[in-house]
Amino acid sequence: MSHDPTDHGPDYLASHGHDKAAPPHSHLPSDPALRVKTLETILVQKGLIDPAAIDALIETYSTRVGPQNGAKVVARAWNDPDFRAALLSDPTPLLAEMGLIGRQGEHVVVVENTPAQHNMVVCTLCSCYPWTLLGIPPTWYKSDAYRARAVRDPRGVLAEFGVTLPDGQSVRVWDSTAEVRYLVLPMRPAGTEDLGEAQLAAWVTRNAMIGTGLPQSPAQGEAAP
Amino acid sequence: MSHIHDMGGRLGTGAVAPVANEPVFKTDWHARAMAVTVLAARPGGWTIDASRHARELLPPADYMRLSYYEKWIAALANLLAARGLVTTAEIDAGQSLAPAPTAEIAKRIAPAEVAQMPAGSPYVRGAGPAPLFAAADRVRSLRPAMNRCGVAGGHTRLPAYAAGHVGRVVAQRGNHVFPDTNAHGLGEAPEPLYTVAFAARDLWGTEAQAGDEVMIDLWQSYLEAADD
């Protein structure tokens, strides 16, 4: 298959006759906030972006879509064995019913921690993350250090999060190279036997659902904010 | 062989530095960079694969220097310029010098479309070649990791650290849009996607703990049957 030079790839820097020494992005101002403002201004002036949609999108990911969504799913799985079994087998219908299917959460797979196996999620090629369940990824998840080391030295990375796994528990690191998004189902902590779903959700942390943390138990400390 | 983004296994990055109770967006411009990039894709007419590739094409020095959302904005500028939707003269001027075509304006995303959960776009397709592998099959990933669709330096989602290794198929995920073509406007060409388990010791040697595994989603054309 030959590449058609009239299409839009692969070399954006060389297309449309731009000088390779000065690709379009190098024309942006040096201050990062001004760089964003420049493109935002041009796109809004051209009618390609509705400024109210910018506000709505920021509001959505600041308040409505975040790790509280994933925590609800985990708490329900802890509390309802049938839901848990269905979630591990095919989460899509359950998540659709809970309104948790959308951008960067179209194809979710739930992986279960057990005493024999710990799961941890990374995206070494960019920063793929289950936005519908966990919201916008934290800075460390997008860092070169995490992307480089999670696959090579997961136990060393876990130590940096204060997590030491017991002897005999193996690690599976899931590298999100496709559009499948992984959610870790942590083990239910001790001391939560009498809690209902809403109370349980408070003990599910974001990092526990990525696999870089473990849920705290009421005996250990404070619930997730 | 690979672009700078292919980070898996890279040495020398230092420790991961998790921050407790970090805000969702550290600054206002992070939030706006996210929103502008997400909202530009539909009128811009590019796929998620093309936008990932635009970030991968940033010169290595820029890729390492720029923070996450700075990479997004740099790649967005290059995508818009490549599509002819924004010119470097407009970037220099900091304002629009000509209106966008009405066809693109018509594809603008309305606030109501993002106010609750922004709609996703499924990547599973009904059509595609028959699966060649099943769970428990042993497969070998192709080496080198590269675009095999005729695009030199083109997009691929086979990480370099996993190229040329034997693993075990653990799941078949259906036919997924193929990034290696889709990133370059060469069609969706859906094909079976598998999750393949690689022994960490096969990838990293004795530094890795026996029994640990790395699970990677790989398209069928990245794989061949392994006899052993």
Side-chain angles (χ1 to χ4, degrees):
Chain A
M1 197 182 316
S2 68
H3 176 62
D4 176 2
T6 62
D7 84 2
H8 301 292
D11 191 350
Y12 297 102
L13 309 185
S15 60
H16 292 267
H18 291 300
D19 180 355
K20 275 193 177 188
H25 77 268
S26 69
H27 285 253
L28 288 164
S30 60
D31 177 68
L34 267 182
R35 266 177 252 158
V36 179
K37 188 69 189 165
T38 297
L39 284 191
E40 177 186 335
T41 300
I42 295 170
L43 290 169
V44 168
Q45 286 176 349
K46 284 180 173 287
L48 294 171
I49 288 185
D50 182 337
I54 296 176
D55 296 338
L57 197 55
I58 293 172
E59 168 74 7
T60 294
Y61 287 112
S62 299
T63 60
R64 277 187 287 276
V65 183
Q68 67 274 17
N69 292 353
K72 266 184 221 159
V73 175
V74 168
R76 196 168 161 193
W78 282 348
N79 220 32
D80 178 346
D82 292 339
F83 179 84
R84 174 162 161 263
L87 187 73
L88 291 168
S89 140
D90 179 13
T92 301
L94 303 175
L95 296 176
E97 198 177 296
M98 295 172 79
L100 297 177
I101 296 283
R103 174 185 294 275
Q104 287 302 299
E106 294 92 346
H107 307 290
V108 172
V109 168
V110 179
V111 292
E112 179 186 31
N113 285 350
T114 67
Q117 190 160 278
H118 180 83
N119 295 282
M120 187 169 149
V121 182
V122 65
C123 169
T124 62
L125 297 175
C126 41
S127 300
C128 297
Y129 190 75
W131 284 26
T132 47
L133 298 167
L134 302 184
I136 300 293
T139 303
W140 62 259
Y141 185 86
K142 302 175 284 200
S143 69
D144 298 340
Y146 185 73
R147 289 166 54 194
R149 291 184 49 230
V151 284
R152 191 186 79 237
D153 181 21
R155 290 165 192 272
V157 170
L158 286 173
E160 284 152 23
F161 284 84
V163 174
T164 308
L165 302 180
D167 288 343
Q169 193 178 28
S170 62
V171 175
R172 274 186 162 181
V173 181
W174 301 77
D175 190 353
S176 312
T177 49
E179 300 302 338
V180 178
R181 296 288 167 267
Y182 292 94
L183 181 79
V184 175
L185 175 58
M187 289 187 282
R188 181 172 178 159
T192 60
E193 293 76 10
D194 299 329
L195 302 184
E197 266 178 48
Q199 293 166 298
L200 273 175
W203 298 99
V204 185
T205 62
R206 176 195 64 204
N207 289 6
M209 294 182 277
I210 305 171
T212 55
L214 301 174
Q216 289 198 302
S217 78
Q220 281 177 310
E222 294 174 9
Chain B
M1 196 74 209
S2 61
H3 289 288
I4 188 71
H5 71 286
D6 193 354
M7 286 281 167
R10 190 178 297 269
L11 294 163
T13 54
V16 180
V19 172
N21 303 318
E22 182 185 67
V24 175
F25 299 110
K26 282 162 81 176
T27 70
D28 181 59
W29 69 260
H30 284 192
R32 306 195 83 76
M34 181 281 296
V36 168
T37 302
V38 166
L39 294 171
R42 193 168 81 191
W46 53 77
T47 63
I48 192 166
D49 300 302
S51 62
R52 284 196 186 113
H53 190 54
R55 287 167 211 150
E56 296 164 9
L57 283 178
L58 292 171
D62 287 345
Y63 191 94
M64 296 310 293
R65 178 174 55 84
L66 299 175
S67 65
Y68 180 73
Y69 288 115
E70 290 178 286
K71 291 185 187 80
W72 278 35
I73 286 298
L76 177 61
N78 294 343
L79 281 163
L80 288 164
R83 298 266 163 168
L85 288 171
V86 171
T87 64
T88 49
E90 289 175 314
I91 296 174
D92 291 338
Q95 58 181 310
S96 168
L97 301 175
T102 50
E104 273 70 30
I105 294 172
K107 291 188 282 184
R108 180 169 74 173
I109 295 174
E113 295 181 74
V114 295
Q116 293 300 323
M117 177 79 79
S121 38
Y123 301 92
V124 169
R125 300 290 181 266
L132 294 176
F133 311 114
D137 282 358
R138 289 173 67 75
V139 290
R140 184 188 304 276
S141 56
L142 298 187
R143 184 168 184 262
M146 62 179 285
N147 183 292
R148 292 167 198 277
C149 303
V151 185
H155 187 61
T156 188
R157 296 290 285 180
L158 171 58
Y161 76 86
H165 287 280
V166 172
R168 180 183 85 259
V169 172
V170 297
Q172 211 264 93
R173 306 289 185 195
N175 293 322
H176 278 240
V177 171
F178 191 44
D180 301 44
T181 52
N182 201 42
H184 301 292
L186 299 174
E188 294 192 334
E191 57 175 75
L193 178 75
Y194 304 89
T195 302
V196 180
F198 295 90
R201 283 216 158 166
D202 286 348
L203 301 176
W204 314 112
T206 53
E207 277 183 30
Q209 186 156 319
D212 287 358
E213 291 178 311
V214 180
M215 322 295 286
I216 311 178
D217 290 330
L218 298 173
W219 279 262
Q220 182 157 287
S221 60
Y222 296 170
L223 301 170
E224 59 189 9
D227 300 327
D228 52 340

